[in-house]
Amino acid sequence: MTEAATAPTSSSPTARQWWTRTRGVVLALVLLLVAAVAIAAVRSEARHGRLDPRSADPSGSRAVARLLADQGVSTRVVTTLGEARSAAGPDTTLLVAAPDLLTERQQTLLRTTTERSGGRTVLVSPGPPSIGTLLPGVTADPAVSLDSTLSPRCELPAALRAGPADTGGLRYTTTDPDADTCYPSDGLPTLLRVPARSAGGDTVVLGAPDILANERLDEQGNASLALQLLGSRAHLVWYLPSLSDDSAGGTGDRSFFDLIPPGWLWGTLQLFIAAVLAALWRARRMGPLVPERLPVAIRASETTEGRARLYHKASARDRAAAALRSATRTRLAPLIGVPPARAHEPETLLPALAARLDGDPGTLLPLLFGPPPRDDAALVSLADQLDALEREVRIS
């Protein structure tokens, strides 16, 4: 006897099926996005007023502004490059709180102004994007200082009077022989004072903003160093660069991606990699399985023998016995007048079968609904008994 074999193939999935399969991944991505926005909101709230002389937050700089006011130094906050340039002068210290936020055009204009002002310019943690333009001849080292508190080790009077301070951060190198190189870490200074070539001014580079923060001002010699560096002139202009500054326009504009913090770019890349790995992990055949008639007919005995060998290789006697009993019950049900839908119910099948054979239903229960066989010999014996039962029912 032969039977037509069927094999699975695929068909295009519907929109509902796509949603059912991908909703877990979509939900995970939505949760990650919500978490990222929440974390960003919390962090932005916590960092509100960073290095702002009007802010009393731990990362603000209100304390140092108050101390400078007690010494007669006025502090003015500006947020545009035009205001910063117009305020620069011989009796003014111009502090740039975030030099890396300036575009190349803004950096060039600011350098032109400070070189001729005759005053002092203080750059707070300028990195590779800005230091080369704002202060030619100075470069930022890629490796930051591993120590926060450092000793002066220079002849700059302000550093000698302040003593150890929390200047550890970015480290710099300079080609100017007249520069004061202070608070070195592994041989590279974290504080520079570079005199101007004309007009008598100078530029101070701080590798870390810690000495200006409210929460660190009373530690080490931070307050002394901050007051001396910022209080050498009668006026202090505190420049907080703003992304909305009109002077950011021009050929030196940065792209949108240049303004995104590096952490967000790395985070987005990690989310993308995680999504790809999740897709590979959950990847399955596209569409539901449907039967398709093959051009070759396979004997039923060969199919049965092949499945039996798989069961034997996997020692799956429980599944083999369940398949034998289920097939026997399915074939016996129509012979004894039991509906096919109730062929696997002991309370329905066994009484009808016992009435047909004039036997006790209790003796048929372990045969048709019993536990799995203990070994291969018991499985063979079960198959023989089921075959004998089916023959008996057919001839009765």
Side-chain angles (χ1 to χ4, degrees):
M1 181 178 66
T2 63
E3 63 180 14
T6 60
T9 184
S10 62
S11 63
S12 299
T14 63
R16 182 183 182 86
Q17 292 169 334
W18 267 108
W19 168 245
T20 301
R21 294 174 184 177
T22 60
R23 61 186 176 186
V25 176
V26 172
L27 179 60
L29 293 177
V30 170
L31 291 177
L32 286 174
L33 180 60
V34 172
V37 172
I39 292 173
V42 171
R43 291 189 63 186
S44 63
E45 180 68 20
R47 294 171 64 90
H48 175 71
R50 182 174 182 270
L51 292 185
D52 191 328
R54 300 163 298 185
S55 173
D57 291 347
S59 60
S61 300
R62 183 176 180 180
V64 69
R66 288 290 183 88
L67 293 177
L68 288 170
D70 293 340
Q71 295 183 0
V73 178
S74 64
T75 300
R76 174 189 173 192
V77 178
V78 299
T79 57
T80 65
L81 179 63
E83 292 175 316
R85 295 180 66 192
S86 62
D91 60 345
T92 301
T93 298
L94 174 62
L95 182 145
V96 184
D100 289 351
L101 291 181
L102 300 175
T103 64
E104 185 176 353
R105 176 175 179 270
Q106 288 177 312
Q107 294 169 15
T108 302
L109 292 175
L110 182 62
R111 185 195 68 195
T112 302
T113 300
T114 56
E115 283 180 344
R116 303 171 182 173
S117 67
R120 167 169 288 181
T121 303
V122 178
L123 305 177
V124 181
S125 299
S130 62
I131 187 63
T133 304
L134 291 173
L135 196 56
V138 177
T139 57
D141 192 79
V144 299
S145 171
L146 298 180
D147 299 319
S148 175
T149 303
L150 300 172
S151 299
R153 298 182 185 176
C154 67
E155 299 302 322
L156 182 65
L160 291 175
R161 287 190 290 265
D166 292 323
T167 60
L170 291 174
R171 305 183 306 166
Y172 303 95
T173 58
T174 178
T175 58
D176 192 331
D178 297 327
D180 292 304
T181 56
C182 301
Y183 297 96
S185 173
D186 293 334
L188 295 180
T190 58
L191 185 150
L192 291 177
R193 190 196 74 88
V194 181
R197 298 178 181 178
S198 60
D202 61 7
T203 299
V204 176
V205 180
L206 287 175
D210 295 359
I211 67 171
L212 305 177
N214 294 329
E215 60 181 348
R216 305 291 292 275
L217 190 63
D218 61 344
E219 300 177 4
Q220 312 301 331
N222 295 348
S224 175
L225 183 61
L227 293 178
Q228 294 181 80
L229 294 179
L230 303 184
S232 62
R233 269 74 172 173
H235 305 287
L236 171 63
V237 176
W238 203 294
Y239 178 25
L240 299 173
S242 172
L243 296 178
S244 60
D245 189 354
D246 294 339
S247 65
T251 58
D253 285 351
R254 294 188 184 184
S255 67
F256 171 77
F257 294 101
D258 292 330
L259 301 177
I260 298 178
W264 283 95
L265 295 178
W266 280 109
T268 304
L269 177 61
Q270 292 173 7
L271 288 178
F272 175 76
I273 295 175
V276 172
L277 293 177
L280 293 176
W281 170 53
R282 298 292 296 174
R284 295 180 179 177
R285 185 189 302 270
M286 295 292 101
L289 298 178
V290 296
E292 181 181 274
R293 186 178 296 276
L294 297 180
V296 178
I298 302 176
R299 293 181 179 274
S301 59
E302 294 179 3
T303 304
T304 302
E305 183 179 358
R307 180 170 295 181
R309 288 178 177 176
L310 291 175
Y311 283 146
H312 177 71
K313 184 177 181 180
S315 298
R317 288 184 293 272
D318 54 342
R319 300 195 63 179
L324 290 173
R325 285 169 169 154
S326 177
T328 301
R329 293 194 299 265
T330 301
R331 290 192 296 267
L332 288 177
L335 298 178
I336 58 177
V338 174
R342 308 189 65 182
H344 306 289
E345 300 176 1
E347 64 274 12
T348 302
L349 181 67
L350 295 182
L353 187 59
R356 180 68 173 266
L357 300 176
D358 296 327
D360 182 9
T363 61
L364 299 174
L365 179 62
L367 178 60
L368 292 172
F369 296 95
R374 297 183 302 274
D375 50 29
D376 291 343
L379 178 62
V380 174
S381 176
L382 174 64
D384 293 338
Q385 294 176 35
L386 292 174
D387 187 55
L389 176 63
E390 185 175 352
R391 284 200 308 270
E392 184 178 357
V393 172
R394 289 183 181 278
I395 64 177
S396 62

